[in-house]
Amino acid sequence: MSITLNTTMSSIMTNKRRVGALKSLGVVTVGDALTYYPFRVADPVPLRALREARIGERMAFSASVRSMRVVPMNVRRGYRLEAVVDDGDFAVSRHVAGAAARLVFFSYKKQYVDWLSMRLRSGAIVVIAGEPSEFNGQLQFTHPEIMTVAPGSGPADGEYSGVVQMSALKYDADTVEAGLRRISRPRPVYHASSRISSEHIHESIVQCIELLAGTGQDLPGDAATEAPQTMKPMEDGGISGAGTAPADAESRSGNAVAVGLARAIPDVLPESVRESNHLLHRAEAFLAIHDPLSTADFKRAIGTMRYEEAFVSQTALLQSRSNVRKDAALPCAGVALRDRFIESLPFPLTGGQREIIDDIGVDMAREYPMQRLLQGEVGSGKTVVAVAAMLQAAGSGHQAVLVAPTQVLAEQHHATISAMLCAIDGVETGDDPSRDALSPNDPADLIKAAESAADDGDAKGRTAVKHPVKHSGARRGKQDGAAHANTRHVPVILLTGGMKLAARRRALALAASGDPCIIVATHAAFSKTFQAPNLALVVIDEQHRFGVEQRESLRTKNDVVPHLLVMTATPIPRTAAMTWFGDLDISWLTELPGGRKPIRTFIVPEDDGRMMGSMFAHIRGRIDAGERAYVVCPRIDADDESDGDDDTSGASQIGVYDDSDAYRRESAAAAANTAASAPSQEDGDGAPSRPPLHSVAEIERRLSSLPQFRGVRFATLTGRDDDATKQQVMADFADGATPVLVATTVIEVGVDVPQASCIVIFDADRYGLSQLHQLRGRVGRGGTDSWAFLISRAEDGGPAQQRLQVIQGTLDGAQIAQADLEFRGAGDVLGDAQSGGKSGLKLLRVVKDVKIIADARERAGRLLADDPDLSGEVELAGAVLDFTRGNETFLTSS
């Protein structure tokens, strides 16, 4: 049977249980097996005679079996196998006297005990590795790793030529020397599961390598070969470990195995790149990773495969970026309306905003689609930049769509953009005398500016929405942007999934007419019923909330590809952005508008009743001053199982509490009720589970009963609420009817209430840093003093507390993102859609491998400049194609 990287494990492995166990780890093909990398390599095992043994330290030696017996365990089910071994011959080579030791194995399986008895028969020569202990005054090894050695003389050079067949027995090594080399070498350690051990994974992968090289045998499936070498008690009393030992890698390097493997696994990297970086051939790297001669060889091989990942991914990104320029887009050169909008703003733009708006203007004027990622700090004014870009599209006679992740955010965008456009007419007619007094980027002030504009303009704007001017498909391509410079002819259309049918149909009809307009939509924009034939610009807000397939649906609706602007306030380090969004032009909006005050952040231990009480008293004071407060909980109610240094100085800063025990009594009562109603839970190792997460329903009930909030109305907001409820709750919160909003993280993105000055986040130690930073950004948006309180049950000095101290110590999103990346890993920070968790990246680390990524990108760029289609690098082209096909979520815009 011909074995390739695409051969399935089920076709070459007879043991179906092991096939299923490997499949659960994502190992389905031989290629999957080779790229299931170990996370570390065990240190070499030192060779020692029994008289040199050190209790508790692993050692390896050879010995002969003196005696062996199997004893049934009457009290406990199963069997105990005891073998006495003597290392006399090996001890002589170590210049010490020989000694005896006992090997002990336990198992419930008679079949396994019989197989082991055959291997440890009296007179057998074995090589042993294990950890010595002492029992009844005698040296003992419990469940050591053993290798049987063929009797008589083996090959003269001591090489290992595979499993030796003599009589009815199979031996693991030809000679003692070969067995010792094998058993003492570094051993890869893999992420295993309850269904399969690391040793069984190692055995399966190495034998896949042998089969690829044409020297291997069938993978184990019978009872004997399934029995392990490294033996550890399993839950059912059986033994798990490795089976027949793989061939000796020292003899394989440079012989038929390495040569055959190189034929079966061609190299992916160009020869010039590999040689200049002193990298191994791909086949050599796989061999050194899964069957290393030394830790140095293992590290070099891992480095080779890590660079390969960087090179393939960066080549794919650069190719994707180049291919986009072959697509046709609608050029948007009309900037008159955009410039009038900027002049009408009741605040000056920051330098960063002006620079990015100019860059976007240049990109959109081209005949190929713009691909730009706009990363902006929370509150940095990304919406203004997006509106300017959409007005450039509308002013050029085309359509633009802004897609928001939630209906609440879409409605806020719709209201804010409508107010901004009305304000343009207000400035033009001189109806906005309060312009200089408005605070920057404050939607409430923008709405005031809109209200001060002429009622006639607003009425005519609404009339334009209801009765758009029809344009034929033939005329659309020739529309003059100047004809649409007046904002009354640029309707702002809202399209959400929660709209009534009649309103939804009107919105869809307006979009389908092709008339210049701005469409603000939720996921409804990705539906088949949404058609915008004159679409020139797509703006994706909080791009990580949408799948690539959804974004692609907007790009492929029409013959021409729209310009793309994706925005995110989730802090992404520059290194991560270069890795995951390398096919996009990246703009960084880090300068905050003037007038913003820093948010003061405090870590509040939940069991500190006095500090909790001071916090609540402070919040009541802010409410009495006309401000608002958010309270965030990770769960909706008690039945919801989804996880949707003490700053004591903070207590003196946030007021004095009159009844410091009230909250503590309430918390204790709630905890007692929870404990009484919930079953006892323990982790697999017997450690008690963490306390249950707080819920919106629980916290709303407990807070509303506290004396500090007497007379204060509370509201709740969760993802389960229907759209009408969400709208009403947010309206009541904004106008102060319910000044305290207890919510889940549904408020994380886009919710903008300028009067909100306080946010309390329960179970803050269970959130990621970037998410905490996003939540904290919901307050302080109106230019007032603001506070964030992180309620924690984390242990002093523990990792969770250290993460919270990062949030407490800085407001810099870049620093927070870098720390979050180091604490949690890229997959958790960016989400699986932009992480290695569901992509071909298994070794590349965005934090530590910055230089590798940069070098790979530079070399990939030079290669593509000379050979854009990779016609001279067939293997690399295939790897890039495979990577692209399997990683649409990695290539953000492809």
Side-chain angles (χ1 to χ4, degrees):
M1 177 181 179
S2 178
I3 306 297
T4 68
L5 292 176
N6 295 322
T7 301
T8 61
M9 299 296 289
S10 60
S11 66
I12 60 174
M13 183 178 290
T14 58
N15 187 332
K16 301 308 177 187
R17 286 195 302 175
R18 185 179 289 194
V19 170
L22 290 171
K23 185 177 181 180
S24 68
L25 298 176
V27 177
V28 178
T29 66
V30 172
D32 294 334
L34 266 59
T35 55
Y36 191 80
Y37 299 114
F39 63 91
R40 69 179 180 89
V41 63
D43 293 330
V45 180
L47 300 179
R48 291 176 186 160
L50 290 176
R51 290 191 181 276
E52 299 172 311
R54 303 172 186 173
I55 302 300
E57 293 185 13
R58 281 181 61 84
M59 57 177 284
F61 63 99
S62 67
S64 60
V65 180
R66 281 186 185 176
S67 63
M68 183 273 301
R69 66 171 183 162
V70 176
V71 181
M73 294 184 291
N74 296 325
V75 178
R76 300 165 54 196
R77 292 186 304 109
Y79 305 88
R80 183 179 75 253
L81 185 150
E82 296 181 359
V84 178
V85 298
D86 186 333
D87 74 336
D89 294 339
F90 178 72
V92 170
S93 68
R94 304 283 299 177
H95 306 292
V96 296
R102 182 169 55 183
L103 312 181
V104 180
F105 303 89
F106 300 92
S107 179
Y108 290 110
K109 298 180 179 179
K110 183 65 164 60
Q111 187 181 30
Y112 167 71
V113 173
D114 291 342
W115 175 81
L116 193 59
S117 301
M118 183 172 60
R119 292 168 63 83
L120 291 174
R121 71 196 185 287
S122 179
I125 305 299
V126 293
V127 173
I128 302 165
E131 186 177 300
S133 60
E134 189 174 354
F135 182 74
N136 288 338
Q138 185 176 8
L139 198 64
Q140 176 173 298
F141 292 82
T142 304
H143 295 287
E145 179 182 355
I146 63 169
M147 294 180 64
T148 57
V149 180
S153 57
D157 58 0
E159 289 186 357
Y160 175 63
S161 59
V163 177
V164 183
Q165 179 76 38
M166 296 188 66
S167 301
L169 300 177
K170 292 181 179 179
Y171 298 98
D172 303 322
D174 288 341
T175 65
V176 169
E177 290 79 6
L180 287 173
R181 280 200 307 271
R182 175 66 199 170
I183 209 165
S184 63
R185 285 216 329 265
R187 187 66 58 87
V189 182
Y190 301 82
H191 287 292
S193 70
S194 61
R195 299 176 61 185
I196 186 168
S197 67
S198 175
E199 286 295 336
H200 274 154
I201 295 171
H202 178 234
E203 173 196 69
S204 300
I205 294 175
V206 170
Q207 293 195 42
C208 283
I209 291 176
E210 292 177 349
L211 287 172
L212 274 172
T215 61
Q217 303 180 11
D218 290 340
L219 290 180
D222 56 70
T225 56
E226 182 61 18
Q229 282 268 338
T230 298
M231 293 163 254
K232 303 177 183 179
M234 296 177 68
E235 292 180 2
D236 62 357
I239 309 294
S240 73
T244 304
D248 188 273
E250 187 173 6
S251 65
R252 289 185 312 199
S253 59
N255 70 5
V257 173
V259 174
L261 197 62
R263 286 197 300 266
I265 308 175
D267 210 353
V268 168
L269 292 175
E271 185 70 17
S272 58
V273 173
R274 185 165 66 84
E275 289 182 354
S276 61
N277 286 277
H278 308 290
L279 303 174
L280 297 173
H281 187 281
R282 197 168 197 242
E284 289 180 291
F286 281 137
L287 198 60
I289 287 172
H290 297 294
D291 211 12
L293 290 172
S294 65
T295 54
D297 287 344
F298 175 83
K299 291 178 180 178
R300 185 184 178 195
I302 287 290
T304 294
M305 299 311 298
R306 182 172 288 133
Y307 190 91
E308 179 185 294
E309 286 186 355
F311 196 86
V312 171
S313 63
Q314 292 303 312
T315 302
L317 286 167
L318 291 173
Q319 263 199 340
S320 172
R321 181 172 183 168
S322 176
N323 291 337
V324 166
R325 299 194 173 187
K326 299 177 183 178
D327 295 329
L330 294 173
C332 302
V335 297
L337 179 58
R338 182 201 70 178
D339 293 343
R340 286 179 51 221
F341 160 72
I342 294 174
E343 293 173 2
S344 73
L345 290 173
F347 48 82
L349 293 180
T350 65
Q353 285 174 317
R354 289 186 176 276
E355 181 180 351
I356 293 172
I357 289 173
D358 290 340
D359 290 342
I360 291 174
V362 172
D363 289 348
M364 291 180 61
R366 297 180 176 131
E367 295 185 350
Y368 58 84
M370 173 182 70
Q371 301 276 98
R372 185 170 292 275
L373 169 68
L374 173 57
Q375 176 171 323
E377 190 63 80
V378 175
S380 58
K382 298 184 299 298
T383 302
V384 173
V385 175
V387 172
M390 289 188 289
L391 286 177
Q392 182 168 337
S396 300
H398 305 303
Q399 294 172 305
V401 60
L402 169 62
V403 186
T406 66
Q407 177 162 332
V408 171
L409 181 54
E411 290 170 346
Q412 287 198 349
H413 277 320
H414 179 260
T416 302
I417 294 171
S418 298
M420 287 178 173
L421 298 191
C422 290
I424 298 179
D425 290 333
V427 170
E428 180 179 305
T429 56
D431 291 331
D432 188 17
S434 59
R435 165 174 192 246
D436 295 333
L438 300 179
S439 61
N441 291 343
D442 188 338
D445 288 337
L446 290 172
I447 293 173
K448 291 177 182 177
E451 291 173 347
S452 67
D455 293 338
D456 175 68
D458 186 43
K460 291 183 179 179
R462 295 186 182 184
T463 302
V465 175
K466 294 181 180 179
H467 304 287
V469 179
K470 304 298 181 183
H471 295 276
S472 66
R475 292 178 58 195
R476 261 190 285 111
K478 300 180 180 180
Q479 289 169 346
D480 184 2
H484 303 277
N486 194 307
T487 59
R488 296 184 181 94
H489 296 285
V490 184
V492 182
I493 302 169
L494 178 65
L495 177 63
T496 69
M499 296 173 67
K500 293 182 178 180
L501 183 59
R504 181 182 175 88
R505 285 177 174 173
R506 284 196 300 270
L508 290 171
L510 289 169
S513 71
D515 294 327
C517 62
I518 293 175
I519 305 157
V520 182
T522 57
H523 290 73
F526 304 122
S527 67
K528 293 181 180 180
T529 58
F530 175 73
Q531 297 294 328
N534 195 19
L535 185 61
L537 173 66
V538 175
V539 181
I540 304 291
D541 194 11
E542 293 303 325
Q543 57 83 28
H544 64 283
R545 299 295 187 92
F546 301 100
V548 171
E549 293 80 3
Q550 292 175 316
R551 296 194 292 267
E552 188 70 5
S553 69
L554 285 175
R555 288 169 45 82
T556 57
K557 281 183 181 290
N558 305 325
D559 294 334
V560 293
V561 178
H563 300 285
L564 176 67
L565 175 65
V566 293
M567 305 191 300
T568 180
T570 300
I572 303 173
R574 289 176 183 265
T575 55
M578 181 174 65
T579 304
W580 274 283
F581 309 114
D583 58 335
L584 303 177
D585 295 309
I586 304 176
S587 296
W588 310 88
L589 194 56
T590 58
E591 183 181 358
L592 291 179
R596 289 293 177 91
K597 295 183 179 179
I599 303 170
R600 283 172 277 187
T601 305
F602 300 96
I603 302 172
V604 182
E606 189 170 350
D607 59 1
D608 188 335
R610 182 174 182 80
M611 195 169 184
M612 292 286 288
S614 300
M615 175 188 70
F616 292 136
H618 169 78
I619 293 173
R620 177 57 188 264
R622 303 320 307 162
I623 292 173
D624 291 342
E627 297 170 7
R628 317 280 188 271
Y630 296 105
V631 179
V632 179
C633 304
R635 294 198 303 170
I636 297 176
D637 53 43
D639 296 330
D640 177 26
E641 296 182 358
S642 62
D643 287 349
D645 300 332
D646 299 350
D647 191 350
T648 52
S649 64
S652 62
Q653 296 181 37
I654 58 177
V656 179
Y657 182 40
D658 296 330
D659 186 2
S660 61
D661 290 330
Y663 184 83
R664 182 179 295 175
R665 288 196 301 270
E666 183 69 21
S667 299
N673 292 336
T674 301
S677 60
S680 175
Q681 298 180 358
E682 292 189 349
D683 295 331
D685 59 1
S689 61
R690 292 189 289 185
L693 298 171
H694 290 300
S695 67
V696 169
E698 166 208 352
I699 292 300
E700 189 275 335
R701 176 184 58 80
R702 289 163 59 180
L703 295 187
S704 60
S705 66
L706 291 180
Q708 290 82 1
F709 297 113
R710 187 175 293 115
V712 174
R713 291 183 59 194
F714 284 72
T716 62
L717 183 67
T718 72
R720 291 181 186 171
D721 296 329
D722 57 46
D723 294 330
T725 301
K726 290 178 181 177
Q727 294 175 17
Q728 188 60 50
V729 167
M730 289 308 302
D732 290 344
F733 181 65
D735 64 23
T738 53
V740 180
L741 179 61
V742 185
T744 58
T745 54
V746 69
I747 68 162
E748 175 186 352
V749 176
V751 173
D752 194 348
V753 178
Q755 297 84 0
S757 63
C758 298
I759 185 167
V760 179
I761 305 173
F762 279 89
D763 296 304
D765 50 298
R766 308 282 281 273
Y767 291 91
L769 297 187
S770 293
Q771 190 172 31
L772 288 174
H773 183 58
Q774 282 274 55
L775 289 168
R776 178 172 60 179
R778 295 311 100 203
V779 299
R781 306 175 76 85
T784 61
D785 292 331
S786 53
W787 296 263
F789 302 100
L790 311 179
I791 311 302
S792 169
R793 289 182 279 189
E795 295 181 1
D796 289 344
Q801 188 183 58
Q802 293 174 15
R803 291 191 298 110
L804 293 182
Q805 287 171 345
V806 171
I807 286 288
Q808 184 183 37
T810 182
L811 295 171
D812 187 332
Q815 291 184 22
I816 292 169
Q818 188 73 18
D820 209 9
L821 207 58
E822 294 170 358
F823 275 119
R824 298 199 297 154
D828 291 327
V829 173
L830 297 175
D832 282 336
Q834 278 80 36
S835 77
K838 290 187 178 180
S839 77
L841 295 184
K842 297 183 178 181
L843 296 172
L844 199 62
R845 306 160 301 182
V846 296
V847 177
K848 297 181 180 180
D849 297 331
V850 180
K851 293 182 179 179
I852 292 177
I853 295 170
D855 182 82
R857 188 175 183 84
E858 179 184 354
R859 294 178 186 275
R862 292 204 299 264
L863 177 65
L864 289 173
D866 297 334
D867 187 3
D869 298 326
L870 298 177
S871 56
E873 299 290 343
V874 178
E875 296 300 331
L876 176 61
V880 169
L881 182 61
D882 290 341
F883 181 86
T884 304
R885 284 176 175 172
N887 296 273
E888 289 85 358
T889 51
F890 181 94
L891 300 171
T892 305
S893 57
S894 65

